[in-house]
């Protein structure tokens, strides 16, 4: 039932900051660890089609288990900071089964696996190897639904950074390569069911960061990379008895070969290991190497001798041997220019070798594709992006065309649907704010203006530049004239840039760009340092598709138009009324004098009032849809309701007075109240608390108490809904369900999202247990894995980017969580 009611429209996420966390399978799916989950991304459709939730700690490594016939993979192995290895069997994006392998005592940092099936066995026979921070490598055997540890290899006080499994050519005996922090690569061969060390490959001068096997023409090649900026390729080949005798008798000058012997069903076989080549081209530590995947051609498996490497110098290099000399040379170099990033952590080939991907220090994915011309050109492609730390807040723009989110990664990101040829997918199209403090809260003031708060005492107001409006018009297929009409004739800046050593986005106008252009083209060369290195880093771009990471970092900032001072501690929450005329803000507080809510007027950006009531931090605020009331909830376990008076004592003529509240005697919640929201008709509001309860409140016809400082008496209009875990997010839908009930979305501390319908009891006063009706709970692979930070319904019915009418059956819900993800769900209202 749940599958037909709700669809996952978009998942915004990025890769974890570990080297082995991305894997591209022949099934066409890109799997990467994002916080505690594994995202399954389809590069051709540019969408995340699902997530695998099973780890309870950060996912550090992911690897597809390749089939011997080069067919599409159905098994995936992952390791995490929860000390677990998990095997997943997939059918498309659906999990058929998973096997948890437990035994490590510290975080798992590298995994690999080998399919040992002979082709006649029904059950999959898998050999899995895992390396962890407990200085151990474990070899597992997995058959059916069970897995057991066959062997543990201890490395004392050393750490294994990467592992790779393969089979020796000709005899199918498993061989294991371990790249260590002792600058050596240790080789192990399986003999009599146990892995035995046969050699240590010397040459690297710093920690080994990556190792990977490839089989070509009967030889086994091992690529290794290290923090010494070098890549080494080793070759393992069979030594015949005749060649061994020639070496004993002759005086030939040859490369050093390490010899070892292996027992198999065919007897004793001699192998030699030699250094094939050393590749130097990177200027910083090389964190990843990856062979182009083998292909099945004319009934034979062929391995293209093409190697991809990724480095902290922000580049990826394609290496291949020269056709004439056989010398390995750099073929292509791609990379990232500018920004504040720290290079690439890993790389992957697409199954057909026509696309390459890197993941960066800050989690961003970089995708390049090659055309099929005679002189191929590698060009950037659109790829998924998202926050790389907890996402604290998310909100829709007033027209419901895009969402904006803020997170502890110190960024503000804007996601919008991309419409083309009847297809709609969501993408990050701007990064309006890249800050120096962790972001905490955001509120949209108008269609192209927002106010945000971070771990600082200042609120900052941003307005969209003209370049963004033009690009947004093209990507969303909304006419530019319609977008500019909402700006009321105010001159828009072209873009924004951040001055050196600054935190404020400075507006860049057309005149700034023209003066810079004239200076560069003029006959007189700049003489001063200021002229040689101007502060304008913004370059206007005309986008025909969502921007790449380079552009997001430098060319999509919004200019800061105002700073709001008045709070004494770090900002915690902010809200704006629906007409965009008033902003309310609150900061962290441990005393009543700091817990006051400050009211700002957006026309002048002046502070017009300070509302004092709460004794601890105000955790969330919400204006009623008719803008007559402001609701606030707090860590002090109470809520306060403030009424707007249009003939107040302030200079603006506006003021708020306390209309209703709870205290220690009347409070129903016994723990922190985390969240609140209004019903779309302004009749009721709901509160969600750490005490696991959700309550709907309203003025249930109780009248008003008498007296000079009279307060309305608001009582619970619903029964206390106990959800079994702390309630951290509450949101009312903008419309009724078909049976005239309110639709409420609830987010929990454990990451769950639930949909309920609520209707007040028939007598209008006494709440009953029947007033709540559970519609659905998102399944394990749809919801968040950590705390849901905010839920926000689209203010109008229908789906953004689609031509849905006002009577559409679709609703859209945006969510964000501490698991670094932003999600958008499409929900069928007609069958709730």
């Amino acid at each position: 039932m749940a599958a037909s009611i709700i669809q996952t429209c978009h998942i915004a996420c990025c890769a974890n900051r570990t080297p082995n966390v991305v894997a591209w399978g022949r099934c066409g799916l890109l799997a990467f660890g994002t916080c505690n989950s594994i995202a399954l991304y389809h590069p051709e459709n540019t969408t995340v089609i699902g997530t695998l939730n099973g780890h309870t700690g950060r996912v550090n490594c992911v690897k597809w288990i390749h089939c011997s016939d080069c067919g599409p993979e159905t098994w995936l192995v992952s390791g995490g900071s929860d000390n677990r290895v998990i095997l997943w069997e997939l059918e498309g994006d659906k999990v058929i089964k998973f096997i948890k392998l437990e035994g490590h005592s510290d975080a798992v940092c590298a995994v690999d696996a080998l399919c040992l099936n002979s082709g006649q066995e029904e059950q999959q026979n898998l050999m899995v190897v895992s390396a962890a921070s407990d200085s151990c490598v474990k070899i597992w055997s997995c058959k059916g639904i069970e897995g057991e540890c066959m062997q543990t290899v201890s490395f004392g006080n050393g750490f294994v950074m990467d592992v790779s499994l393969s089979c020796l050519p000709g005899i199918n005996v498993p061989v294991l390569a371990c790249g260590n922090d002792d600058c050596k690569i240790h080789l192990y061969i399986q003999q009599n069911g146990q892995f035995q060390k046969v050699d240590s490959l010397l040459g690297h001068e710093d920690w080994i960061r990556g190792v990977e096997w490839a089989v070509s023409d009967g030889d086994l090649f091992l690529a290794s990379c290290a923090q010494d900026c070098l890549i080494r390729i080793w070759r393992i080949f069979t030594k015949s008895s005749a060649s061994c005798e020639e070496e004993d008798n002759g005086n030939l000058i040859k490369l050093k070969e390490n010899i070892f012997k292996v027992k198999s069903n065919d007897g004793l076989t001699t192998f030699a290991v030699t250094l094939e080549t050393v590749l130097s081209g990177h200027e910083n530590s090389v964190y990843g190497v990856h062979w182009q995947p083998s292909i099945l051609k004319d009934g034979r498996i062929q391995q293209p001798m093409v190697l991809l490497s990724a480095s902290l110098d922000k580049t990826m290099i394609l290496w291949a041997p020269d056709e004439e000399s056989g010398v390995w040379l750099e073929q292509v170099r791609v990379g990232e220019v500018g920004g504040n990033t720290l290079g690439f952590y890993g790389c992957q080939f697409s199954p057909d070798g026509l696309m390459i991907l890197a993941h960066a220090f800050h989690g961003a994915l970089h995708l390049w594709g090659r055309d099929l011309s005679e002189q191929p050109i590698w060009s950037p492609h659109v790829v998924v992006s998202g926050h790389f730390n907890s996402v604290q807040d998310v909100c829709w723009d007033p027209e419901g065309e895009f969402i904006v989110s803020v997170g502890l990664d110190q960024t503000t990101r804007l996601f919008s649907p991309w419409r083309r040829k009847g297809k709609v997918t969501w993408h990050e199209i701007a990064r309006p704010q890249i800050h120096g403090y962790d972001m905490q809260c955001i509120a949209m003031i108008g269609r192209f203006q927002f106010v945000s708060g971070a771990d600082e005492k200042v609120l900052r107001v941003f307005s969209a530049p003209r370049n963004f409006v033009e690009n947004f018009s093209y990507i969303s297929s909304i006419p530019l004239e319609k977008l500019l009409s909402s700006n009321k004739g105010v001159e828009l800046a072209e873009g924004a840039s951040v001055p050196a050593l600054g935190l404020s986005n400075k507006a860049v106008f057309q005149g700034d760009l023209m003066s810079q252009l004239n200076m560069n083209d003029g006959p007189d060369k700049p003489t001063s340092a200021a002229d040689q290195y101007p502060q304008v880093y913004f370059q206007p771009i005309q986008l025909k598709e969502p921007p790449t990471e380079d552009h997001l970092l430098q060319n999509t900032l919004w200019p800061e138009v105002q700073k709001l001072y008045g709070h004494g501690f770090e900002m915690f929450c902010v809200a704006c009324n629906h007409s965009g005329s008033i902003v309310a803000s609150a900061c962290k507080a441990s005393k009543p004098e700091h817990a006051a809510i400050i009211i700002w007027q957006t026309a002048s950006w002046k502070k017009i009032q300070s509302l004092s009531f709460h004794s601890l931090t105000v955790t969330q605020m919400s204006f009623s849809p008719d803008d007559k009331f402001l609701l606030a909830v707090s860590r002090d376990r109470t809520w306060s309701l403030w009424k707007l008076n249009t003939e107040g004592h302030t200079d603006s003529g506006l003021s708020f007075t306390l209309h209703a509240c709870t205290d220690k005697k009347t409070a129903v919640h016994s723990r922190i109240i985390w969240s609140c929201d209004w019903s779309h008709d302004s009749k009721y509001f709901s509160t969600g608390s750490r005490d696991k309860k959700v309550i709907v409140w309203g003025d249930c016809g109780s009248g008003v108490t008498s007296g000079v400082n009279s307060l309305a008496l608001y009582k619970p209009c619903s029964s206390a809904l106990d959800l079994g875990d702390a309630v951290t997010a509450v949101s009312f839908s903008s419309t009724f369900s078909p049976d005239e009930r309110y639709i409420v979305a609830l987010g929990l501390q454990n990451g769950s999202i639930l949909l309920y319908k609520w209707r007040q009891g028939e007598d209008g006063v006494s709440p009953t247990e029947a007033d709540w009706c559970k519609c659905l709970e998102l399944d394990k692979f749809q919801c968040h894995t950590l705390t849901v930070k905010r839920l926000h319904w689209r203010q109008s019915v229908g789906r953004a980017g689609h031509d849905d009418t006002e009577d559409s059956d679709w609703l859209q819900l945006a969510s964000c969580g501490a698991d670094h993800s932003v999600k958008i769900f499409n929900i069928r209202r007609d069958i709730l």
Side-chain angles (χ1 to χ4, degrees), residues 401-402 415-419 424-427 429 472 475-477 800-802:
E401 299 295 345
F402 59 83
F415 300 90
S416 166
W418 177 27
R419 300 183 63 174
V424 178
T425 53
W426 281 76
H427 301 273
I429 65 167
F472 174 67
I475 291 172
S476 63
S477 300
H802 294 76

Side-chain angles (χ1 to χ4, degrees), residues 746-772:
L746 306 170
L748 306 184
Q749 188 171 328
N750 62 13
S752 298
I753 297 176
L754 305 95
L755 288 185
Y756 274 82
K757 293 188 294 185
W758 174 80
R759 179 167 54 196
Q760 190 177 9
E762 293 182 1
D763 58 2
V765 179
S766 303
T768 62
E769 292 293 337
D771 56 352
W772 290 103

Side-chain angles (χ1 to χ4, degrees), residues 406-579:
V406 294
L408 299 185
D409 59 356
Q410 305 183 349
T411 65
T412 301
R413 300 176 188 242
L414 189 150
F415 300 90
S416 166
W418 177 27
R419 300 183 63 174
R420 75 276 188 205
K421 298 179 182 178
K423 186 178 180 182
V424 178
T425 53
W426 281 76
H427 301 273
E428 182 182 359
I429 65 167
R431 205 164 293 170
Q433 186 181 10
I434 301 175
H435 205 29
Y437 294 96
D438 293 353
M439 304 296 302
Q440 292 290 349
C441 53
I442 190 169
M444 295 297 298
I445 301 170
R447 190 167 200 177
F448 296 121
Q449 192 175 58
F450 68 83
V451 57
S452 65
D455 280 344
E456 56 176 346
K457 304 175 184 179
V458 185
L459 282 167
R460 298 174 187 265
V461 184
F462 297 84
S463 290
R466 184 178 183 88
N467 188 242
F468 166 80
V469 178
E470 292 172 349
N471 291 329
F472 174 67
S473 170
Y474 190 93
I475 291 172
S476 63
S477 300
I478 301 174
L480 181 61
E481 296 76 16
K482 181 181 178 181
L483 297 177
L484 292 175
S485 63
S486 63
N487 203 50
K488 302 175 183 178
V490 178
E491 182 188 2
L492 294 177
E494 283 297 315
S497 64
V498 181
L501 304 179
L503 281 175
S504 302
N505 295 355
K506 181 183 177 183
V508 177
F509 291 93
Q510 186 66 35
D512 300 326
L513 297 174
M514 292 303 296
S515 61
Q516 183 182 2
L517 185 64
N518 294 336
M519 183 184 300
N520 295 335
D521 295 341
D524 299 330
K525 294 184 178 180
T527 56
S528 67
D531 292 336
Q532 289 179 341
Y533 305 100
Q535 293 288 345
V536 180
Y537 304 113
F538 165 76
Q539 295 295 330
I541 52 174
Q542 301 301 318
L543 296 175
K544 294 185 178 180
E545 61 183 18
T548 61
E549 183 72 12
D550 292 1
H551 289 312
L552 286 170
L553 285 169
Q554 298 181 86
N555 298 323
T556 62
L557 292 172
W558 287 19
E560 182 181 311
V561 297
Q562 193 71 39
K563 291 186 182 70
L564 306 179
Y565 298 92
H567 289 287
F569 290 92
E570 297 92 337
M571 301 306 307
F572 198 84
C573 61
V574 65
C576 181
N577 67 350
H578 296 77
S579 62

Side-chain angles (χ1 to χ4, degrees), residues 182-197:
D182 60 1
C183 313
K184 299 176 184 177
I185 301 168
H186 301 284
L187 296 184
Y188 291 81
I189 303 296
Q190 189 181 40
Q191 298 282 262
N192 301 321
Q194 294 288 301
F195 278 87
Q196 300 174 6
K197 185 176 178 179

Side-chain angles (χ1 to χ4, degrees), residues 606-763:
K606 290 183 178 179
K607 173 182 173 181
I608 60 175
Q609 198 176 359
S610 179
L611 309 179
S612 297
F613 173 80
H614 293 286
S615 57
L616 295 173
T617 305
V618 174
T619 53
Q620 193 173 332
M621 297 176 291
S622 179
F623 283 92
S624 60
D626 59 11
D627 284 345
K628 294 181 179 179
F629 296 98
L630 169 64
L631 173 67
V633 294
S634 169
R635 283 181 177 270
D636 62 12
R637 310 175 186 180
T638 66
W639 55 259
S640 59
L641 186 63
W642 305 82
K643 186 175 183 180
L644 175 64
N645 302 313
T646 54
E647 297 180 359
H649 61 275
T650 61
D651 296 337
S652 63
L654 302 174
S655 67
F656 283 87
T657 55
L658 187 62
H659 182 66
C661 64
T662 54
D663 54 28
K664 290 183 178 180
K665 294 182 179 179
T666 58
V668 179
H669 290 297
S670 59
R671 304 294 298 275
I672 295 171
I673 305 177
W674 280 124
S675 186
C676 63
D677 196 28
W678 285 90
S679 62
H680 65 275
D681 55 9
S682 302
K683 289 184 178 180
Y684 305 99
F685 62 83
S686 61
T687 55
S689 168
R690 184 181 280 175
D691 64 6
K692 309 176 184 180
K693 294 183 176 65
V694 177
I695 298 172
V696 178
W697 306 76
D699 188 353
C700 304
S702 56
V704 178
T705 59
S706 60
V708 178
N709 297 319
S710 60
L711 295 178
L713 185 59
Y714 275 64
K715 291 184 177 181
C717 295
S718 74
S719 59
L721 178 64
D722 193 327
L723 295 174
D725 196 26
V727 182
T728 54
V730 176
S731 184
F732 270 105
S733 169
S734 59
T735 185
F736 287 111
S737 65
D739 56 355
E740 296 298 315
R741 288 174 177 259
Y742 295 96
I743 305 171
V744 187
L746 306 170
L748 306 184
Q749 188 171 328
N750 62 13
S752 298
I753 297 176
L754 305 95
L755 288 185
Y756 274 82
K757 293 188 294 185
W758 174 80
R759 179 167 54 196
Q760 190 177 9
E762 293 182 1
D763 58 2

Side-chain angles (χ1 to χ4, degrees), residues 88 93 131 169 200 284 295 345 348 456-457 565 626 636 663 693 773 807:
W88 311 82
D93 62 331
S200 292
N284 206 333
I295 56 175
Y345 257 36
Q348 289 287 303
E456 56 176 346
K457 304 175 184 179
Y565 298 92
D626 59 11
D636 62 12
D663 54 28
K693 294 183 176 65
C773 174
D807 58 350

Side-chain angles (χ1 to χ4, degrees), residues 224-225 229-233 277-279 282 286 289 307 309 319:
S224 62
C225 62
C229 310
L230 298 177
I231 300 161
R232 291 174 176 260
I233 299 178
T277 187
V278 178
L279 306 179
H282 288 292
V286 186
V289 285
L307 184 68
S309 62
W319 309 86

